[in-house]
Amino acid sequence: EPEVTQTPSHQVTQMGQEVILRCVPISNHLYFYWYRQILGQKVEFLVSFYNNEISEKSEIFDDQFSVERPDGSNFTLKIRSTKLEDSAMYFCASSGWAGGQETQYFGPGTRLLVL
Amino acid sequence: SQQGEEDPQALSIQEGENATMNCSYKTSINNLQWYRQNSGRGLVHLILIRSNEREKHSGRLRVTLDTSKKSSSLLITASRAADTASYFCATESGYSTLTFGKGTMLLVSP
């Protein structure tokens, strides 16, 4: 069964450093998402991406964040200058359709720790 | 309450019993989805119910949706120890972003 994969599974970085989180969505999906979950809190939407551009983003997704689909398979989330409060589990998701038509399938997550 | 709030926050039952979790939301939705998360792991999609559906079944799972009350319930029948996890409802409205609740932690004891 196709699945969303994410690398790395864990990342430790120093405050102020840049990190890139990688995702490989399900191959025939068109919509891609990033969510995060701070430890003990709810999963929060960050950004959605379709047709090589951002469709929607939340207040969390400020100028420190960017997303890219550099080739036909990868979908990346970059945090330009990490802060302590960026420590969280980051989930990538993909779906075939948007607007209530299709399930979003989530990857296993990348646990980011900013020291 | 916030969009996608589950209750109870925690539920402890014995194997073989049924587990019922509830979710309430505030705004109109396209669909409501239930996800499961084992401790520290990823989110596993369980079931999606559209706004024009009232009930849906998948194996031991039964989901209901009452749009007039803006609420949904997830019933797991004949629970097993392996069902121990956190369960989240997520509502999709607008342009397909999901809004998650805080989840219900389910503990099923052998």
Side-chain angles (χ1 to χ4, degrees):
Chain A
E1 186 175 334
E3 57 183 17
V4 177
T5 60
Q6 290 185 242
T7 54
S9 59
H10 295 76
Q11 173 111 32
V12 181
T13 190
Q14 295 290 322
M15 191 171 56
Q17 295 295 305
E18 174 184 285
V19 294
I20 298 176
L21 309 182
R22 292 184 167 78
C23 168
V24 179
I26 293 173
S27 62
N28 61 347
H29 282 182
L30 302 175
Y31 296 85
F32 314 115
Y33 313 85
W34 284 101
Y35 293 80
R36 79 170 185 192
Q37 184 182 32
I38 295 172
L39 187 63
Q41 298 188 25
K42 62 173 67 177
V43 176
E44 302 172 290
F45 167 75
L46 293 178
V47 66
S48 60
F49 191 86
Y50 168 71
N51 199 26
N52 284 319
E53 60 183 28
I54 291 173
S55 306
E56 196 171 358
K57 60 182 181 179
S58 70
E59 294 176 351
I60 303 168
F61 194 87
D62 61 22
D63 292 344
Q64 293 298 315
F65 292 89
S66 63
V67 289
E68 194 178 26
R69 188 154 163 83
D71 53 44
S73 60
N74 290 286
F75 179 51
T76 62
L77 173 69
K78 180 191 291 185
I79 308 175
R80 194 162 297 118
S81 177
T82 50
K83 306 169 193 167
L84 296 176
E85 55 265 36
D86 293 328
S87 294
M89 181 79 98
Y90 288 81
F91 294 106
C92 172
S94 69
S95 69
W97 300 92
Q101 302 299 316
E102 192 82 4
T103 298
Q104 291 184 26
Y105 292 90
F106 282 73
T110 293
R111 186 174 296 282
L112 175 66
L113 178 60
V114 182
L115 301 175
Chain B
S1 64
Q2 299 179 34
Q3 185 83 346
E5 286 293 310
E6 298 92 338
D7 78 87
Q9 291 186 340
L11 180 61
S12 181
I13 59 174
Q14 298 290 318
E15 260 190 334
E17 294 180 338
N18 295 341
T20 300
M21 290 160 268
N22 302 296
C23 170
S24 61
Y25 57 92
K26 288 186 129 180
T27 65
S28 61
I29 61 172
N30 296 328
N31 66 59
L32 185 144
Q33 304 180 37
W34 284 91
Y35 286 83
R36 164 198 168 121
Q37 184 181 38
N38 287 74
S39 180
R41 305 291 295 277
L43 294 160
V44 176
H45 181 262
L46 296 176
I47 198 164
L48 179 154
I49 186 165
R50 303 192 197 287
S51 59
N52 61 352
E53 296 175 313
R54 293 295 166 259
E55 188 171 314
K56 207 161 181 180
H57 297 254
S58 176
R60 293 185 295 113
L61 306 179
R62 173 177 168 256
V63 169
T64 63
L65 179 65
D66 186 336
T67 52
S68 66
K69 295 181 180 177
K70 290 187 168 60
S71 67
S72 172
S73 67
L74 170 68
L75 168 68
I76 304 174
T77 60
S79 62
R80 306 165 183 167
D83 294 329
T84 294
S86 290
Y87 292 82
F88 297 88
C89 72
T91 54
E92 182 182 314
S93 51
Y95 200 70
S96 84
T97 61
L98 291 177
T99 302
F100 283 82
K102 291 184 179 179
T104 293
M105 290 180 58
L106 174 65
L107 173 63
V108 183
S109 302

